[in-house]
Amino acid sequence: MRVIGTRAYGLRTPIIRESDDLVSVVCQSVKDAIENEQVTINDGDIIGITEAVVARSQGNYASLDQIAADVKAQFGGMSASGETHVGVVFPILSRNRFAMLLKAIARGVDKVTVMLSYPGDEVGNQLITWDDVDDKVLNPYSDCLSEPEYRRLFGNEIKHRFTGIDYVSYYKSLGDNIDIVLCADPKRILDYTNLVIAADIHTRARTKRALETAGAKKVIGIDNILSKSVNGSGYNERYGLLGSNKATEERVKLFPRDCDDFVQMMQKALKDLSGKTVEVLVYGDGGFKDPVGGIWELADPVVSPAFTSGLKGTPNELKLKYLADNNFADLSKDDARKAIEKAIQAKAGVDQMGKMESEGTTPRQITDLLGSLCDLVSGSGDKGTPVVLIQGYFDNYAS
């Protein structure tokens, strides 16, 4: 029996620039791993490539002025007063992810009212704690707070525990025309304006529906901004500005586009290089949660925007400890091993959903699991490994 099961390697690459041939760069990194690290490529191995270098190689960028132009075009002339007042509902608390977008939105309209959900945003960043809310006997869904009311209740300087940023002050500082209110009911933004941008990520469809039902004149999402090129900008037809992050003080990098074509080209190139069928995915944020701060890492719209066909679906696994403690508990160690191997071999093609033998195996999408693994291996800092090689992922105890 092989002692080592699943293993993941971060592969270093050169710094990826706009217009670089990323397929060739990844292949060279795999070739270097084969030649310098004695890595052997096998059928069923997996290559993950971070969305950041895919988008960078595509040149999928936009300036704040290009974003502002799109916002202005979508809301211009819709106000009877002549002043374009837009509400921005439920943005996450992030300098990297949202601050640049807010600065651009404020350039494109006359006035912005930002509604922050409290006690925290949808990915777990907290303005205040639930204990604070309970202590003040507040209901976030009915008790909307102006910035002065928020300060009176909770203080003049409330910093995020990890970033050290007071996000209410910071977001307000991004434009002279920005006001901040706090509430967990998106419909309350209509007390200020009926032109709204739903800035949430995973709950955006529900937020848009609630606002439209409540009588908003126009509702768009972050995904509807730069869904096509504006004044030569990058774009993403499916996600717009979702998944974007800061590149410079005047420019953001968008989520990559045409990823389905890219993973197919990448798989073919790896086949030409190694003679093996390697699965490929593009990955962004992993879908995991920090147990200390309660932050859910997934600020991208999906973990993986594209992947080859061998990565579709969910794991179909048996729980080894359940088999050992229940089905084969009375057998000798050697007989139990043989029985477990036989049970695993017999599961092929048989859906284990709902069976006690699979209880606790957490049937998440394979790409969500792999993307989270890749994100943890590559990190988000200075490791310099935007490509991850995963081996033995589809092995099991009976392989």
Side-chain angles (χ1 to χ4, degrees):
M1 178 183 289
R2 261 204 331 272
V3 176
I4 298 175
T6 301
R7 51 216 178 275
Y9 307 89
L11 303 186
R12 290 205 166 90
T13 69
I15 300 300
I16 307 300
R17 307 283 188 182
E18 292 183 42
S19 301
D20 280 352
D21 182 349
L22 187 57
V23 171
S24 296
V25 171
V26 173
C27 282
Q28 185 61 52
S29 294
V30 173
K31 185 178 180 181
D32 290 344
I34 293 170
E35 294 176 352
N36 301 334
E37 307 291 346
Q38 288 75 55
V39 171
T40 300
I41 302 300
N42 309 293
D43 287 323
D45 285 355
I46 301 160
I47 287 286
I49 302 143
T50 179
E51 59 82 20
V53 297
V54 179
R56 191 180 302 144
S57 69
Q58 293 175 341
N60 204 21
Y61 291 86
S63 70
L64 300 194
D65 286 340
Q66 289 167 330
I67 297 170
D70 195 10
V71 172
K72 183 175 182 179
Q74 295 205 49
F75 287 105
M78 298 198 69
S79 173
S81 68
E83 179 185 77
T84 305
H85 180 185
V86 169
V88 177
V89 176
F90 296 167
I92 64 171
L93 306 177
S94 173
R95 292 167 294 174
N96 179 45
R97 293 287 191 169
F98 181 71
M100 297 285 285
L101 307 187
L102 178 56
K103 190 187 298 187
I105 291 167
R107 289 184 188 179
V109 299
D110 297 301
K111 185 176 181 180
V112 182
T113 298
V114 178
M115 177 175 282
L116 301 177
S117 60
Y118 78 94
D121 66 20
E122 67 173 308
V123 296
N125 292 293
Q126 290 190 324
L127 285 168
I128 52 178
T129 68
W130 275 107
D131 288 340
D132 294 329
V133 172
D134 293 341
D135 181 61
K136 302 300 182 182
V137 197
L138 292 171
N139 180 347
Y141 295 94
S142 59
D143 299 326
C144 293
L145 306 176
S146 65
E147 184 185 356
E149 289 170 332
Y150 169 70
R151 296 300 185 189
R152 177 178 57 80
L153 288 169
F154 300 109
N156 291 323
E157 190 174 33
I158 305 169
K159 294 183 177 180
H160 190 282
R161 65 181 300 175
F162 293 145
T163 66
I165 299 297
D166 182 323
Y167 279 97
V168 172
S169 295
Y170 177 57
Y171 279 179
K172 189 169 183 178
S173 74
L174 298 175
D176 294 335
N177 56 346
I178 298 173
D179 289 329
I180 308 289
V181 296
L182 298 94
C183 191
D185 180 359
K187 298 186 295 296
R188 294 294 295 275
I189 195 66
L190 301 180
D191 295 341
Y192 303 89
T193 178
N194 60 8
L195 306 177
V196 188
I197 298 173
D200 42 350
I201 305 165
H202 309 291
T203 56
R204 62 188 184 275
R206 183 170 185 262
T207 299
K208 291 178 187 178
R209 186 170 62 248
L211 287 163
E212 289 166 351
T213 302
K217 186 174 183 179
K218 182 168 185 177
V219 182
I220 66 171
I222 292 294
D223 54 328
N224 303 123
I225 304 173
L226 290 195
S227 58
K228 59 183 179 180
S229 181
V230 173
N231 299 334
S233 73
Y235 65 96
N236 189 299
E237 59 278 298
R238 182 173 184 183
Y239 297 118
L241 291 177
L242 287 178
S244 64
N245 51 37
K246 182 177 181 178
T248 70
E249 294 300 326
E250 284 290 320
R251 201 176 186 219
V252 298
K253 178 191 67 60
L254 306 183
F255 214 47
R257 61 180 186 267
D258 303 324
C259 291
D260 289 321
D261 293 339
F262 171 74
V263 297
Q264 297 302 323
M265 289 189 296
M266 192 74 254
Q267 186 176 56
K268 182 180 183 302
L270 290 169
K271 180 80 170 183
D272 293 341
L273 171 67
S274 66
K276 305 296 182 180
T277 299
V278 177
E279 303 297 340
V280 180
L281 78 156
V282 176
Y283 68 92
D285 280 344
F288 47 82
K289 187 174 183 178
D290 171 59
V292 176
I295 298 171
W296 186 38
E297 181 70 12
L298 188 55
D300 286 323
V302 290
V303 173
S304 175
F307 45 87
T308 50
S309 60
L311 301 181
K312 291 180 180 178
T314 60
N316 188 42
E317 298 179 335
L318 301 178
K319 196 77 167 180
L320 281 186
K321 66 181 182 180
Y322 183 90
L323 296 177
D325 290 343
N326 291 273
N327 300 39
F328 310 121
D330 296 332
L331 299 181
S332 68
K333 183 178 292 187
D334 189 52
D335 287 344
R337 176 183 60 79
K338 292 177 182 177
I340 288 173
E341 289 178 354
K342 186 176 180 180
I344 293 172
Q345 291 164 351
K347 75 172 186 178
V350 180
D351 188 355
Q352 300 301 316
M353 182 179 291
K355 297 184 179 181
M356 293 302 294
E357 288 81 1
S358 68
E359 183 180 19
T361 55
T362 314
R364 290 189 284 163
Q365 294 295 318
I366 290 171
T367 50
D368 291 342
L369 294 164
L370 288 170
S372 298
L373 174 59
C374 288
D375 192 24
L376 288 167
V377 170
S378 63
S380 58
D382 57 8
K383 294 185 185 299
T385 55
V387 178
V388 176
L389 168 64
I390 301 171
Q391 299 186 307
Y393 186 79
F394 295 109
D395 288 359
N396 57 45
Y397 189 72
S399 294

